[in-house]
Amino acid sequence: MAAPVQGWFDDRSGWSSLRKRLAARRVRGNSPLLYVGGLLAFLLVLQVASGLLLLLHYQPNAAEAHASVAFIVGGIPYGALVRSIHLWCSDLLVLTVIVQLFSVAIRRAFRSPRELMWVSGLFSFFILLAFAFTGAVLPWSQDAYLQARVGSEIAGQMPVAGPLLRYIMRGGDEVTTATLRHAYGFHVAVLPAALTGLLFVHAVFLRRAMPEPTSERTPGTIPIYPDYLVRLGTVMTAALVLVISLATFVERPLGVAAEVTAAAPDGASPPWYLLFVHDLLLRAPPELLGVPSAKFIVGAGAVVILLAFFLPFFDRRGSRVTAALSALLLFAAVMLSIHAVL
Ligand code: HEM
């Protein structure tokens, strides 16, 4: 019974010949890039799938947003699990891209011909951060409201583009109910469209920049089928087990509904990947080199980000200095984040 069904399926899908072709092609089995890309794609699929499920019951207006998320969590079977998967997956996505970006910088893998992969990868990272920021506003809890104020205030300190960025993030001059509408439009329409376009471009550059799979049995290479695909499947299964375990056992409380008239956002805690900026801003003296310290620190951060985009063009060979500075930056950010938590 199985053989005729397999033959019927083969005729229509061409699976057997594809499998033979994949078994004849080999890739470098120990290249982390081959697995990180697959892992990111998998997390993104999980994120979009859980986001679409949330969309079925979420109400994008200030009067009902918080109650609708409370209903998802308390009134719908597995709703709490789906929301928690969306939250944990978001954190893992951001973490994986940070690790990937620093690993590329430290290994100097942005060199020719991979310059445009680096640039499109960096853009994708900022789109993911925008997803995380707008998503955090959507439950319209007190924490969401404070994060919207703190996040947009920090971005507003950026030289030149700061005020415009703050305006876009708030959907106006202040954080109001319009901020929620804006965040929703970005989260479910603008950012998914932008990320899809960018990932397509990234994949085109990747295809051009990565060595073609070979049919030669050189040391360190493995067949795409089954070896590489089985290894990739193991990485994805491990990620799925991790996300579901975190979502099941580590609670992410929703908190109380937002009070838009609330006073200054004292005590608002930023997301983990911005802890180091927040810590620097809190502990800095009022002025640095005659400039208000918030403007100085955010301005310096903006310069580092701008330089990072052009890194492969001014450091064509990928110098050891760049690699050492990247490692130092990562170390400082981790230390400051630990300091902020303790
Ligand atoms: C097309 C893809 C996506 C859709 C349709 C979607 C949809 C949603 C919806 C409807 C909510 C509100 C419900 C809630 O707050 O529980 C939400 C919240 C959220 N989203 Fe997404 N999302 C998508 C992608 C992403 C991505 C890529 C990220 C992060 C990298 C992200 C991060 C978040 C976060 C952090 C929340 C807050 C969850 C909470 O505290 O309740 N989302 N998303």
Side-chain angles (χ1 to χ4, degrees):
M1 182 65 194
V5 172
Q6 200 181 345
W8 180 91
F9 182 72
D10 262 355
D11 276 350
R12 279 143 192 90
S13 65
W15 165 239
S16 281
S17 63
L18 176 68
R19 202 179 55 196
K20 278 187 201 122
R21 263 183 288 141
L22 290 177
R25 312 303 298 272
R26 304 174 74 85
V27 287
R28 296 210 147 272
N30 55 3
S31 161
L33 256 178
L34 285 175
Y35 301 98
V36 175
L39 174 64
L40 281 170
F42 177 70
L43 289 175
L44 207 55
V45 168
L46 214 53
Q47 190 68 1
V48 173
S50 54
L52 290 176
L53 287 176
L54 291 172
L55 212 52
L56 297 177
H57 293 280
Y58 177 72
Q59 297 292 338
N61 62 75
E64 296 170 289
H66 185 269
S68 70
V69 180
F71 178 64
I72 290 172
V73 171
I76 295 184
Y78 301 106
L81 181 69
V82 172
R83 170 179 177 252
S84 208
I85 286 178
H86 200 66
L87 271 164
W88 278 112
C89 207
S90 154
D91 285 340
L92 286 180
L93 261 172
V94 173
L95 180 68
T96 313
V97 179
I98 291 178
V99 170
Q100 168 73 348
L101 282 175
F102 275 98
S103 120
V104 169
I106 293 167
R107 289 183 294 117
R108 297 176 281 165
F110 50 76
R111 280 168 295 174
S112 171
R114 296 194 180 151
E115 302 95 324
L116 294 177
M117 272 184 69
W118 167 260
V119 175
S120 52
L122 210 51
F123 265 120
S124 309
F125 171 60
F126 285 105
I127 299 236
L128 275 186
L129 288 190
F131 258 115
F133 172 79
T134 50
V137 176
L138 297 187
W140 209 232
S141 57
Q142 189 58 13
D143 210 37
Y145 171 70
L146 295 181
Q147 286 213 19
R149 279 179 72 162
V150 176
S152 56
E153 196 50 52
I154 292 180
Q157 302 296 326
M158 204 186 280
V160 191
L164 176 66
L165 198 58
R166 180 171 47 207
Y167 190 87
I168 294 175
M169 288 168 86
R170 292 184 170 183
D173 289 322
E174 291 299 329
V175 176
T176 61
T177 53
T179 312
L180 176 64
R181 276 202 308 278
H182 235 234
Y184 180 72
F186 270 92
H187 197 77
V188 305
V190 179
L191 295 173
L195 189 62
T196 308
L198 256 175
L199 291 184
F200 176 75
V201 170
H202 193 67
V204 170
F205 293 142
L206 175 80
R207 232 187 108 62
R208 305 274 304 171
M210 289 294 280
E212 279 285 308
T214 157
S215 45
E216 281 169 38
R217 291 177 159 269
T218 41
T221 62
I222 53 170
I224 295 183
Y225 179 87
D227 300 42
Y228 167 66
L229 288 180
V230 168
R231 288 188 192 185
L232 186 60
T234 311
V235 170
M236 290 176 174
T237 310
L240 185 66
V241 170
L242 178 66
V243 170
I244 292 188
S245 307
L246 285 168
T248 308
F249 297 114
V250 189
E251 216 189 320
R252 306 282 295 252
L254 172 61
V256 294
E259 190 64 65
V260 176
T261 51
D266 284 344
S269 65
W272 57 268
Y273 44 83
L274 285 183
L275 271 176
F276 72 102
V277 184
H278 197 238
D279 195 49
L280 273 177
L281 291 174
L282 277 184
R283 287 167 212 286
E287 287 197 349
L288 286 165
L289 302 177
V291 180
S293 53
K295 277 207 177 317
F296 186 92
I297 292 168
V298 177
V303 171
V304 171
I305 291 170
L306 199 67
L307 287 179
F309 271 103
F310 290 99
L311 184 61
F313 303 104
F314 65 75
D315 187 11
R316 286 174 185 278
R317 298 217 196 118
S319 68
R320 281 180 201 283
V321 178
T322 310
L325 278 177
S326 308
L328 195 68
L329 200 68
L330 179 63
F331 180 73
V334 172
M335 285 299 138
L336 280 168
S337 305
I338 293 173
H339 183 243
V341 177
L342 296 179

